């Protein structure tokens, strides 16, 4: 198994998902994901479509898709040539007799009627449609099948029709994902739901200032993040590079590309959260005094 397949399989197993469950969540066939994890690239469709599947799968697993796309081979491997037959008893007398017999059959059989080939009609050109998006509040990052479209409001160039997966992300708001039937020009408007504000532990105790006793995550590259506090999800998405996200303690953080996430705990710089391209989950408690 190649490094690309190992990363995908480890990330899927870390989420506790089977190939069938992941395929159902992405509206893909399980054999496509199985071929990606087993590095059987010759079983996948043409590279542009296969890379789109890889990007969607990586984002779903919380991985940064760019390093994985760099590992995708430019040309699928071809099967090794068949071994040459061993030398043995000469076959040319039998081949000669076979050719003579075949020639006799062709000479004695009646001539077939000429066959007129009818050229096949070219496949119909797929229809394309324009997608217009607005969000409240504006400025959400929009992705279609894992490909970044821009920030709302926006209007796309004509896109190929069919079932497409739309994802909207905005810091401080719950990410929104919806499957679209792009069979005509669409103009859609979505209202994003804000994440619940963290509540203080008691009516008399206020949480310490985040710069002193909280957790700050600074994005030095692209990485998917999920931050939870108990059963509550405080954030999930891919923040802008350079963004700083603050959270009260204690929290649990999962990062798809930990090397791009610098951690500040209680005002102290703890460095990157982990290694590049290896998803990790860490729990952060209030520092002892």
């Amino acid at each position: 198994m190649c490094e690309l397949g190992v990363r995908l399989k480890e990330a899927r197993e870390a989420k506790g998902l089977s190939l069938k469950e992941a395929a159902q969540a992405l509206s893909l066939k399980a054999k496509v994901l199985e071929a990606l994890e087993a590095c059987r690239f010759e079983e996948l469709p043409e590279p542009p479509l296969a890379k789109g599947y890889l990007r969607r799968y990586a984002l779903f697993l919380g991985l940064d898709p760019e390093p994985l796309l760099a590992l995708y081979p430019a040309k699928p491997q071809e099967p090794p040539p068949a071994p040459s037959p061993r030398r043995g008893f000469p076959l040319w007398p039998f081949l000669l007799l076979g050719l003579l017999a075949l020639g006799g059959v062709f000479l004695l059989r009646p001539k077939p009627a000429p066959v007129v080939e009818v050229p096949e009609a070219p496949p119909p050109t797929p229809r394309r449609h324009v997608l217009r998006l607005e969000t409240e509040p504006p400025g959400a990052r929009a992705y279609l099948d894992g490909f970044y479209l821009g920030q709302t409001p926006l209007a796309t160039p004509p896109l190929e029709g069919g079932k497409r997966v739309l994802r909207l992300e905005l810091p401080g708001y719950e990410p929104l994902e919806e499957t679209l039937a792009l069979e005509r020009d669409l103009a859609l408007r979505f209202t994003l739901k804000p994440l619940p504000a963290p509540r203080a532990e008691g009516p008399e105790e206020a949480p310490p200032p985040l710069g002193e006793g909280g957790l700050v995550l600074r994005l030095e590259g692209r990485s998917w993040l999920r931050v939870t506090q108990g059963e509550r999800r405080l954030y999930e998405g891919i923040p802008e590079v350079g963004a700083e996200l603050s959270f009260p303690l204690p929290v649990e953080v999962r990062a798809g590309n930990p090397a791009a996430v610098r951690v500040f705990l209680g005002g102290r710089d703890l460095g990157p959260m982990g290694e590049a391209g290896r998803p990790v989950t860490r729990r952060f408690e209030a520092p002892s005094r």
Side-chain angles (χ1 to χ4, degrees):
M1 186 181 294
C2 64
E3 182 181 356
L4 170 63
V6 170
R7 292 189 184 181
L8 292 174
K9 184 176 180 181
E10 288 180 352
R12 174 178 58 78
E13 292 178 346
K15 282 180 171 283
L17 296 173
S18 66
L19 276 171
K20 184 177 180 180
E21 291 171 334
Q24 289 177 346
L26 292 170
S27 299
L28 294 175
K29 293 183 179 178
K31 66 180 182 179
V32 173
L33 304 187
E34 182 181 0
L36 284 172
E37 291 190 3
C39 302
R40 299 197 300 267
F41 304 110
E42 69 278 1
E43 298 179 11
L44 295 169
E46 59 273 15
L49 186 57
K51 289 183 177 182
Y53 292 156
L54 175 57
R55 180 182 293 273
R56 285 178 56 192
Y57 194 23
L59 289 172
F60 171 73
L61 295 177
L63 300 175
D64 186 356
E66 301 304 329
L68 299 179
L69 288 171
L71 296 175
Y72 192 91
K75 191 182 221 181
Q77 296 181 353
E78 298 180 356
S84 58
R86 295 182 178 179
R87 294 185 177 180
F89 190 79
L91 300 178
W92 66 267
F94 301 98
L95 294 176
L96 180 59
L97 289 175
L99 290 174
L100 292 174
L102 187 61
V105 171
F106 275 100
L107 289 174
L108 295 176
R109 73 173 185 176
K111 293 184 179 181
V115 178
V116 179
E117 294 186 359
V118 179
E120 296 183 1
T125 304
R127 294 187 177 183
R128 295 179 176 271
H129 310 284
V130 175
L131 177 62
R132 292 179 173 82
L133 294 175
E134 294 184 12
T135 60
E136 179 58 40
R141 295 170 63 87
Y143 299 85
L144 195 67
D145 292 340
F147 290 93
Y148 178 60
L149 297 178
Q151 291 184 312
T152 58
L154 62 85
T156 69
L159 303 172
E160 186 173 335
K163 284 190 176 181
R164 315 297 292 271
V165 178
L166 173 68
R167 184 177 176 87
L168 300 172
E169 297 176 358
L170 185 64
Y173 292 81
E174 293 185 6
L176 185 148
E177 189 166 298
E178 185 170 320
T179 300
L180 306 178
L182 194 59
E183 299 173 351
R184 54 187 175 83
D185 291 353
L186 292 178
L188 303 176
R189 181 180 178 85
F190 298 93
T191 300
L192 302 181
K193 183 179 179 181
L195 291 171
R199 293 177 295 180
E201 294 293 334
E204 297 182 358
E205 292 186 7
L210 294 177
E212 299 178 4
L215 176 70
V216 177
L217 304 177
R218 178 185 297 167
L219 276 295
E220 298 182 343
R222 284 180 54 81
S223 175
W224 172 86
L225 285 178
R226 182 177 63 216
V227 183
T228 56
Q229 189 175 63
E231 298 296 326
R232 292 190 298 127
R233 183 171 55 184
L234 304 183
Y235 178 79
E236 182 176 356
I238 303 177
E240 294 280 354
V241 176
E244 291 187 1
L245 308 180
S246 302
F247 303 97
L249 298 172
V251 291
E252 185 175 275
V253 181
R254 180 164 181 81
N257 182 23
V261 183
R262 182 170 291 273
V263 178
F264 296 85
L265 183 64
R268 294 177 52 206
D269 184 357
L270 301 185
M273 190 171 164
E275 299 180 13
R278 293 189 174 272
V280 68
T281 301
R282 292 181 58 185
R283 181 174 177 82
F284 296 94
E285 306 279 354
S288 57
R289 304 200 176 193

